[in-house]
Amino acid sequence: MKQLVDKKILNEVIEERSKDSHKGNYGRLLLIGGTYPYGGAIIMAALAAVHSGAGLVTVATDRDNIPALHSHLPEAMAFDVKDKDRLKEQLAKVDIILLGPGLAEDDLGLELLETVLGQVKEQQILILDGGAISLFSKVTLPLPQAQTIFTPHQKEWERLGGLALAEQLDTANQEAVDRFAPGTIVVQKKPGTTLYQSGVVDCYQISAGGPYQATGGMGDTLAGMIAGFAGQFSKTSLFKRVLAATYLHSAIADELSQKAYVVLPTDISRKIPSAMKKVTEE
Amino acid sequence: MKQLVDKKILNEVIEERSKDSHKGNYGRLLLIGGTYPYGGAIIMAALAAVHSGAGLVTVATDRDNIPALHSHLPEAMAFDVKDKDRLKEQLAKVDIILLGPGLAEDDLGLELLETVLGQVKEQQILILDGGAISLFSKVTLPLPQAQTIFTPHQKEWERLGGLALAEQLDTANQEAVDRFAPGTIVVQKKPGTTLYQSGVVDCYQISAGGPYQATGGMGDTLAGMIAGFAGQFSKTSLFKRVLAATYLHSAIADELSQKAYVVLPTDISRKIPSAMKKVTEE
Amino acid sequence: MKQLVDKKILNEVIEERSKDSHKGNYGRLLLIGGTYPYGGAIIMAALAAVHSGAGLVTVATDRDNIPALHSHLPEAMAFDVKDKDRLKEQLAKVDIILLGPGLAEDDLGLELLETVLGQVKEQQILILDGGAISLFSKVTLPLPQAQTIFTPHQKEWERLGGLALAEQLDTANQEAVDRFAPGTIVVQKKPGTTLYQSGVVDCYQISAGGPYQATGGMGDTLAGMIAGFAGQFSKTSLFKRVLAATYLHSAIADELSQKAYVVLPTDISRKIPSAMKKVTEE
Amino acid sequence: MKQLVDKKILNEVIEERSKDSHKGNYGRLLLIGGTYPYGGAIIMAALAAVHSGAGLVTVATDRDNIPALHSHLPEAMAFDVKDKDRLKEQLAKVDIILLGPGLAEDDLGLELLETVLGQVKEQQILILDGGAISLFSKVTLPLPQAQTIFTPHQKEWERLGGLALAEQLDTANQEAVDRFAPGTIVVQKKPGTTLYQSGVVDCYQISAGGPYQATGGMGDTLAGMIAGFAGQFSKTSLFKRVLAATYLHSAIADELSQKAYVVLPTDISRKIPSAMKKVTEE
């Protein structure tokens, strides 16, 4: 059955921080993407993750892309995505891996996907987005040994789920999701974004958002928020955290759209800290 | 006859977005320019296009210019303008092509103009601005196979229209415009910017704007807004969309000039989403 | 006799713009400087010039410095300061030349100074600041064939005027200034900045400013404002325009200091358009 | 005995500036760090130092990192950290040296530490942070010939003080601090950050701050503020200046947290000038 997700999910998930906590308690994130010519995408994902409260964010991207990233966000560490030793070292250390915003579907992209899938471990959370989904759909690769979240838009879901656009109905979608390892989460992005989890009967539709979000980079920002939330709020299930991030992303867009015909992804990121604060005051 | 364009044009053109729409509905744009030493121009055009609501904006510019572009606008994709294969691929895919903001009048500029004119198709919209107009006026090239918009300032119009400054009166201007393919639009930028369309009797003067706009980059921002509007609002004619973009550009400047002696082009871009929103609320 | 400069100078100089004007009426400026390791200085000068209403601003700086410049100010054109042909071409074209903010005192700096002095013409306005003053004081060079403005701080004035700090009293200062060509302007920067003109009896002290301005980059911003004002307001004398720019620079700092312990140079630049607007409303 | 530090420390330290002062009165600072892949850290430290009122800030960092630094802060000079001659020249000139924000623990990092320790003089203030502390703990190096401040987080203090986390109690901490030269200051960063000085009985705990600060870059910002305060307010002791900077850093975070779930380090920096101004008005 389809459930509607409304603002109650935010109160369930977003909690006041404990006084004795430190940045290690809020997730170590590794964001991989932004390869030529898509550098901006990983910048938007990183902006979203940091503003969502992530403890430590490291970005692996084209070396040429690092100055632009740091011009937005000196808060993130950043290294050359071709620096294999460092990539492996980081993959071993972090709690959350987001692969795909602005990942070109080329040899480097495939190599990165293989490296990540080969090294990721059960207790880590892996988010596959954008180019990583397309590449994953094209080649035969083992399912990741991690709690996995896919964030496809409709075209990417066609390939990943093996369902033509017209067939993307809830029952068929759920069946496709159930072919992944139990617990795998799929965020199907569309007007009325819907979330599925492998092995769970209900799916969840976000009751927020609108056409003012129809602009490039919106999905990269969502992926960054999901990564940010995944590294926090461990008292609630991963699925609820993803629901909360996805709802909040559109809820902020709704609010901004009161005064803007189109809502830019980076505008959403800047609003995350105040929107989260409001939740804790209710 | 000369018609005055006032704020009614905004209500005619800017419409509420359909709930089921996605970014593909709001135009795929390719912006080409910003070659050395004019990198900033294409950044301003891209800022204007994205803030106008364009669905997907891709920029072809000097590779060295990409970090600065992304520091303003991670929302845009960007590739090296010398990357010919990618340029051809993008030219084949997009709905709107804007060539010229910050295009140096050198061999590369000419090659780019020839590539675009050689590949552009009837159903695409081509906007020629700045350096592209100067180059087009200098060499003998076939008229583009596309719905074409020229955005010359007075000096550029001298060369393009073959009319000395003193001769640039409405009748002579209209005659010069009529030599282009029917439907071709000319935005003649000056104090009292006037728009002409080949084969149409009336011309249209913008009843907004002022000398606070007399600063470098103003035209690049206008070109980006025209590109942004050209990719949306398909219920109204292309000419009306161009009128609306041109009017809005100056109307925002008028509003900002209430509190500023000089209005910066990038300040205009930041105001576009709220200005468009106000139109839909009237 | 020393005159005090107060806000009346702003009303004398800043005038409403004529409706038929275009960017060519507000000055073509060439700003040269920002060589390693002082890249930021020319960025601050350019920000100040554009916000002061300059029509067209072109910057010659280290090629590596262009992305940072454009990240602040896509409104400025920018080229490699080592690109000699382009430098000569620009020097021939512009109305105002500002040489010196962030100009390293090395061989390149000296070569640039020699090029500028060799090419500058009588009807152009030349502003020598920072490194250009130090270099000019060190070597024997012909006085420039242009309306010249020097903007030394106390140490630079020691070398340029040949006056030890303790000797820098008004009479001695005036005598030193009188050794330059008639009309040459010296802006001696200090607490109580004072302006002198060769051949003029009175000197003018700015009755604004304070110690919240004691931070790096303040002088670069002032130099940019002087360049911006020099290209406008041709109904008043150049000396008055320089007085107005210098007064406004400190007056904005005073206003910002109501809410800030220290005033950043870039904060001043952002306030220029609104401060100038207020003057025209009085 | 442990003393609580509250807002009274700000009134003790932050004083109105003298009218006749200039930027040389507010400290010449050299900030060294931000080596690959940690470029953002030194940007955050520099932002904090300049907003704290530092007179002149020079940054030694990776050459690739300079454009991003200047995109935030043209007010800072910046040179290639590998440029040894310039480094030595700067080390000889400045009042305050901050080494460590974003300093990679590699051969270059060690070389920089050795250069600094070998050249620093008694009358200079040296702040060792981040990577500089880790490197200092690993190798056997002479204690610096300068007034020294260490700013370790708990892990770094483990190594520097030779105290396992469970042993980091006030008495043991004080004993470890007393092994450094008299007057050496240790800022032990943790929830309830505490400051010790070698040879002083009391330690001082900051009564401000919270878990909204648990995000990457917070410590780099603190280090920059300490450097900024160290170069000013010479009427009060260095220890009090460090207390004031550390208290203010957390007090601003507290204020921002009224409207934000997480407080970004760069947001703190932007608030420093207004927060300091308020202190002088009380």
Side-chain angles (χ1 to χ4, degrees):
Chain A
M1 261 259 303
K2 187 182 285 186
Q3 310 281 348
L4 274 188
V5 182
D6 63 19
K7 62 178 300 208
K8 285 194 296 286
I9 189 71
L10 301 180
N11 298 93
E12 275 186 73
V13 171
I14 299 172
E15 61 190 355
E16 292 238 28
R17 288 184 164 191
S18 147
K19 295 225 164 168
D20 292 330
S21 58
H22 58 87
K23 63 191 170 187
N25 298 119
Y26 300 113
R28 292 169 184 272
L29 276 59
L30 176 62
L31 278 47
I32 310 168
T35 54
Y36 178 79
Y38 305 118
I42 203 74
I43 295 174
M44 292 186 280
L47 278 167
V50 169
H51 283 85
S52 298
L56 274 170
V57 174
T58 300
V59 173
T61 188
D62 275 356
R63 185 135 199 173
D64 288 355
N65 195 33
I66 296 178
L69 170 67
H70 276 154
S71 77
H72 288 274
L73 196 68
E75 286 86 353
M77 283 158 288
F79 66 92
D80 187 341
V81 72
K82 286 176 188 150
D83 184 342
K84 288 186 193 182
D85 292 341
R86 206 178 285 273
L87 180 63
K88 287 192 177 162
E89 185 196 310
Q90 284 293 319
L91 281 170
K93 259 209 262 204
V94 297
D95 308 310
I96 317 283
I97 299 153
L98 165 59
L99 175 70
L103 186 74
E105 297 173 39
D106 53 16
D107 290 349
L108 174 62
L110 185 56
E111 192 189 314
L112 289 166
L113 177 61
E114 288 171 341
T115 301
V116 169
L117 293 183
Q119 202 181 325
V120 79
K121 290 190 217 89
E122 221 177 316
Q123 73 278 21
Q124 292 178 311
I125 295 170
L126 173 65
I127 304 155
L128 294 178
D129 178 69
I133 296 176
S134 300
L135 286 162
F136 186 82
S137 307
K138 269 187 208 168
V139 294
T140 308
L141 287 168
L143 286 176
Q145 299 294 319
Q147 301 171 70
T148 305
I149 301 162
F150 292 97
T151 56
H153 57 52
Q154 289 164 296
K155 271 253 166 92
E156 289 163 349
W157 180 235
E158 253 185 16
R159 288 183 294 246
L160 180 65
L163 287 169
L165 191 52
E167 303 167 342
Q168 295 182 7
L169 305 172
D170 287 336
T171 314
N173 286 341
Q174 185 66 55
E175 279 172 23
V177 171
D178 286 341
R179 286 196 291 270
F180 294 117
T184 299
I185 296 166
V186 173
V187 181
Q188 202 209 337
K189 297 181 291 191
K190 58 178 179 185
T193 289
T194 304
L195 290 88
Y196 304 84
Q197 187 168 24
S198 175
V200 170
V201 175
D202 289 344
C203 68
Y204 293 80
Q205 186 175 334
I206 301 299
S207 67
Y212 30 85
Q213 289 176 277
T215 187
M218 204 43 80
D220 306 306
T221 295
L222 175 58
M225 289 183 70
I226 290 174
F229 273 60
Q232 302 174 75
F233 314 122
S234 55
K235 288 183 195 156
T236 50
S237 70
L238 178 62
F239 191 51
K240 285 201 170 173
R241 287 177 259 163
V242 177
L243 286 173
T246 309
Y247 177 80
L248 184 62
H249 174 259
S250 281
I252 292 173
D254 287 354
E255 200 194 320
L256 291 171
S257 79
Q258 299 298 315
K259 302 209 167 180
Y261 185 80
V262 64
V263 173
L264 263 63
T266 45
D267 290 336
I268 291 182
S269 286
R270 272 187 286 271
K271 281 282 177 188
I272 300 170
S274 58
M276 290 175 75
K277 178 69 183 177
K278 276 183 203 153
V279 172
T280 64
E281 287 172 336
E282 277 162 10
Chain B
M1 261 262 301
K2 187 183 286 186
Q3 311 281 347
L4 273 189
V5 181
D6 63 18
K7 61 179 300 209
K8 287 194 294 287
I9 189 70
L10 301 180
N11 298 94
E12 275 186 74
V13 170
I14 299 171
E15 61 189 358
E16 291 238 28
R17 287 184 165 191
S18 148
K19 296 226 164 168
D20 292 331
S21 59
H22 58 88
K23 62 191 171 186
N25 297 119
Y26 301 114
R28 292 168 185 272
L29 276 61
L30 176 61
L31 278 49
I32 310 169
T35 55
Y36 177 80
Y38 306 118
I42 204 74
I43 295 175
M44 291 186 281
L47 278 166
V50 168
H51 283 87
S52 298
L56 273 171
V57 174
T58 299
V59 174
T61 188
D62 275 355
R63 185 137 198 172
D64 287 354
N65 195 33
I66 296 177
L69 169 68
H70 276 153
S71 77
H72 287 275
L73 197 68
E75 285 87 353
M77 283 157 288
F79 66 91
D80 187 343
V81 72
K82 286 176 189 150
D83 184 343
K84 289 185 193 183
D85 291 343
R86 204 177 286 271
L87 181 62
K88 287 192 176 161
E89 186 196 309
Q90 284 293 318
L91 280 170
K93 259 210 262 203
V94 297
D95 309 310
I96 317 284
I97 299 153
L98 165 59
L99 175 70
L103 186 74
E105 297 173 39
D106 53 16
D107 289 350
L108 174 63
L110 184 57
E111 193 190 314
L112 288 166
L113 178 60
E114 289 171 341
T115 301
V116 168
L117 293 182
Q119 201 181 325
V120 78
K121 290 189 218 93
E122 220 177 317
Q123 73 278 19
Q124 291 178 312
I125 295 170
L126 173 65
I127 304 156
L128 293 179
D129 178 69
I133 296 176
S134 300
L135 287 163
F136 185 82
S137 307
K138 270 186 208 169
V139 294
T140 308
L141 287 168
L143 286 175
Q145 299 294 318
Q147 301 170 73
T148 305
I149 301 163
F150 292 98
T151 56
H153 57 52
Q154 290 164 296
K155 272 253 168 93
E156 289 163 349
W157 180 234
E158 253 184 17
R159 290 183 293 247
L160 180 66
L163 288 169
L165 191 52
E167 302 167 341
Q168 296 182 6
L169 305 171
D170 287 335
T171 315
N173 286 341
Q174 184 67 53
E175 278 172 24
V177 172
D178 286 342
R179 286 196 292 271
F180 294 118
T184 299
I185 295 166
V186 174
V187 180
Q188 202 209 336
K189 296 182 291 192
K190 57 178 179 186
T193 289
T194 305
L195 290 89
Y196 305 83
Q197 187 166 23
S198 174
V200 169
V201 175
D202 290 344
C203 67
Y204 293 79
Q205 186 176 333
I206 301 299
S207 67
Y212 29 84
Q213 290 174 276
T215 188
M218 204 44 81
D220 307 307
T221 295
L222 175 58
M225 289 183 71
I226 290 173
F229 273 60
Q232 301 175 76
F233 314 122
S234 56
K235 288 181 194 156
T236 49
S237 71
L238 178 61
F239 191 51
K240 286 201 169 174
R241 287 177 259 163
V242 177
L243 285 173
T246 309
Y247 177 80
L248 184 61
H249 174 259
S250 281
I252 292 174
D254 287 355
E255 201 194 318
L256 290 171
S257 79
Q258 299 297 315
K259 304 209 165 181
Y261 185 81
V262 63
V263 173
L264 263 63
T266 44
D267 289 337
I268 292 182
S269 287
R270 272 188 286 273
K271 280 283 177 187
I272 301 171
S274 58
M276 290 175 75
K277 178 69 184 178
K278 276 184 202 152
V279 172
T280 64
E281 286 172 337
E282 277 161 10
Chain C
M1 264 261 300
K2 188 183 285 185
Q3 310 282 348
L4 273 188
V5 181
D6 63 17
K7 61 179 300 208
K8 287 194 293 287
I9 189 69
L10 301 180
N11 297 94
E12 275 187 74
V13 172
I14 299 172
E15 61 189 358
E16 293 238 27
R17 291 185 161 190
S18 147
K19 296 227 163 167
D20 291 331
S21 59
H22 58 88
K23 61 190 172 188
N25 298 119
Y26 300 113
R28 292 169 185 271
L29 276 60
L30 176 61
L31 278 47
I32 310 171
T35 55
Y36 177 80
Y38 306 118
I42 204 74
I43 295 175
M44 291 186 281
L47 278 166
V50 169
H51 283 87
S52 297
L56 272 171
V57 174
T58 300
V59 174
T61 189
D62 275 355
R63 185 136 198 173
D64 287 353
N65 194 33
I66 296 177
L69 170 68
H70 276 152
S71 77
H72 288 275
L73 197 69
E75 284 87 353
M77 283 157 288
F79 67 91
D80 188 343
V81 72
K82 287 178 188 148
D83 184 342
K84 289 185 191 183
D85 292 342
R86 205 178 286 271
L87 180 62
K88 288 192 177 160
E89 185 196 309
Q90 284 293 318
L91 281 169
K93 257 208 267 202
V94 297
D95 309 310
I96 318 283
I97 298 154
L98 165 59
L99 175 69
L103 186 74
E105 296 173 38
D106 54 14
D107 290 350
L108 174 62
L110 185 57
E111 192 189 316
L112 289 166
L113 177 61
E114 289 171 341
T115 302
V116 168
L117 293 182
Q119 201 181 326
V120 78
K121 289 190 219 92
E122 219 177 318
Q123 72 278 18
Q124 290 178 313
I125 295 170
L126 173 65
I127 304 156
L128 292 180
D129 178 68
I133 295 175
S134 300
L135 287 163
F136 185 81
S137 308
K138 270 188 209 167
V139 295
T140 308
L141 288 168
L143 286 174
Q145 299 294 318
Q147 301 171 73
T148 305
I149 301 162
F150 292 97
T151 56
H153 56 53
Q154 290 164 295
K155 272 254 167 93
E156 289 163 349
W157 181 234
E158 254 185 14
R159 290 183 292 246
L160 180 65
L163 287 170
L165 191 52
E167 303 167 340
Q168 296 182 6
L169 304 172
D170 287 338
T171 316
N173 286 341
Q174 184 68 53
E175 279 172 23
V177 171
D178 286 342
R179 286 197 290 272
F180 294 117
T184 299
I185 295 166
V186 174
V187 181
Q188 202 209 336
K189 297 182 290 192
K190 57 179 179 185
T193 289
T194 305
L195 291 89
Y196 304 85
Q197 187 166 25
S198 175
V200 170
V201 175
D202 289 343
C203 68
Y204 293 80
Q205 185 175 334
I206 301 298
S207 68
Y212 29 83
Q213 288 175 277
T215 188
M218 204 44 80
D220 307 306
T221 296
L222 174 58
M225 289 182 72
I226 290 173
F229 274 61
Q232 302 174 75
F233 314 124
S234 55
K235 287 182 196 157
T236 50
S237 71
L238 177 61
F239 192 50
K240 286 201 170 174
R241 286 177 258 162
V242 178
L243 286 173
T246 309
Y247 177 81
L248 185 61
H249 175 259
S250 281
I252 292 175
D254 287 354
E255 201 195 318
L256 290 171
S257 79
Q258 299 297 317
K259 305 209 165 180
Y261 184 81
V262 64
V263 172
L264 264 63
T266 43
D267 290 337
I268 292 183
S269 287
R270 272 187 286 272
K271 280 283 176 185
I272 301 170
S274 58
M276 291 176 73
K277 179 68 185 180
K278 276 184 203 152
V279 172
T280 64
E281 286 172 338
E282 278 161 10
Chain D
M1 263 260 301
K2 188 182 284 185
Q3 309 282 347
L4 273 189
V5 182
D6 64 18
K7 62 179 300 208
K8 286 194 293 288
I9 189 71
L10 302 179
N11 298 94
E12 276 187 73
V13 171
I14 299 171
E15 61 190 358
E16 293 238 27
R17 290 185 162 189
S18 147
K19 295 225 164 168
D20 291 331
S21 59
H22 57 87
K23 61 190 172 189
N25 298 119
Y26 300 115
R28 291 168 185 273
L29 276 60
L30 176 61
L31 278 48
I32 311 169
T35 54
Y36 178 78
Y38 305 118
I42 204 74
I43 295 175
M44 290 186 282
L47 278 166
V50 169
H51 283 86
S52 298
L56 273 171
V57 175
T58 300
V59 174
T61 188
D62 275 356
R63 186 136 199 172
D64 288 355
N65 195 33
I66 295 178
L69 169 68
H70 276 152
S71 78
H72 288 274
L73 196 69
E75 285 87 352
M77 283 157 290
F79 66 91
D80 187 341
V81 73
K82 286 177 189 149
D83 184 341
K84 289 186 193 181
D85 291 342
R86 205 177 285 273
L87 181 62
K88 287 190 178 163
E89 185 197 308
Q90 284 293 319
L91 281 170
K93 258 208 267 202
V94 297
D95 309 309
I96 318 283
I97 300 154
L98 165 58
L99 175 69
L103 186 74
E105 296 172 38
D106 53 14
D107 290 349
L108 173 62
L110 185 56
E111 192 188 316
L112 289 166
L113 177 61
E114 288 171 341
T115 302
V116 168
L117 293 183
Q119 201 182 325
V120 79
K121 290 190 218 89
E122 221 177 316
Q123 73 278 20
Q124 291 178 312
I125 295 170
L126 173 64
I127 304 155
L128 294 179
D129 177 67
I133 295 176
S134 300
L135 286 163
F136 186 81
S137 308
K138 270 188 209 168
V139 294
T140 307
L141 288 168
L143 286 175
Q145 298 295 318
Q147 301 171 71
T148 306
I149 301 162
F150 292 98
T151 55
H153 56 52
Q154 289 164 295
K155 271 254 166 92
E156 289 162 349
W157 181 234
E158 254 185 14
R159 289 182 293 247
L160 179 65
L163 288 170
L165 192 53
E167 303 167 340
Q168 296 182 5
L169 304 172
D170 287 337
T171 315
N173 287 341
Q174 184 67 54
E175 280 171 22
V177 171
D178 285 342
R179 285 196 291 272
F180 294 118
T184 299
I185 295 167
V186 173
V187 181
Q188 202 209 336
K189 297 182 291 191
K190 58 179 179 185
T193 288
T194 304
L195 290 89
Y196 304 85
Q197 187 168 24
S198 175
V200 171
V201 175
D202 290 344
C203 67
Y204 293 80
Q205 185 176 335
I206 301 298
S207 68
Y212 29 83
Q213 288 175 277
T215 186
M218 203 45 78
D220 306 307
T221 296
L222 174 58
M225 289 182 71
I226 290 173
F229 274 60
Q232 302 174 76
F233 314 123
S234 55
K235 288 182 196 157
T236 50
S237 70
L238 177 61
F239 191 51
K240 285 202 171 174
R241 287 177 258 162
V242 177
L243 285 173
T246 309
Y247 177 80
L248 185 61
H249 174 259
S250 281
I252 292 174
D254 287 354
E255 200 193 319
L256 290 171
S257 79
Q258 299 297 316
K259 302 208 167 180
Y261 185 81
V262 64
V263 173
L264 263 63
T266 44
D267 290 337
I268 291 182
S269 288
R270 272 187 287 271
K271 281 284 177 184
I272 300 171
S274 58
M276 290 176 75
K277 178 69 184 176
K278 276 184 203 154
V279 172
T280 65
E281 287 172 337
E282 277 161 11

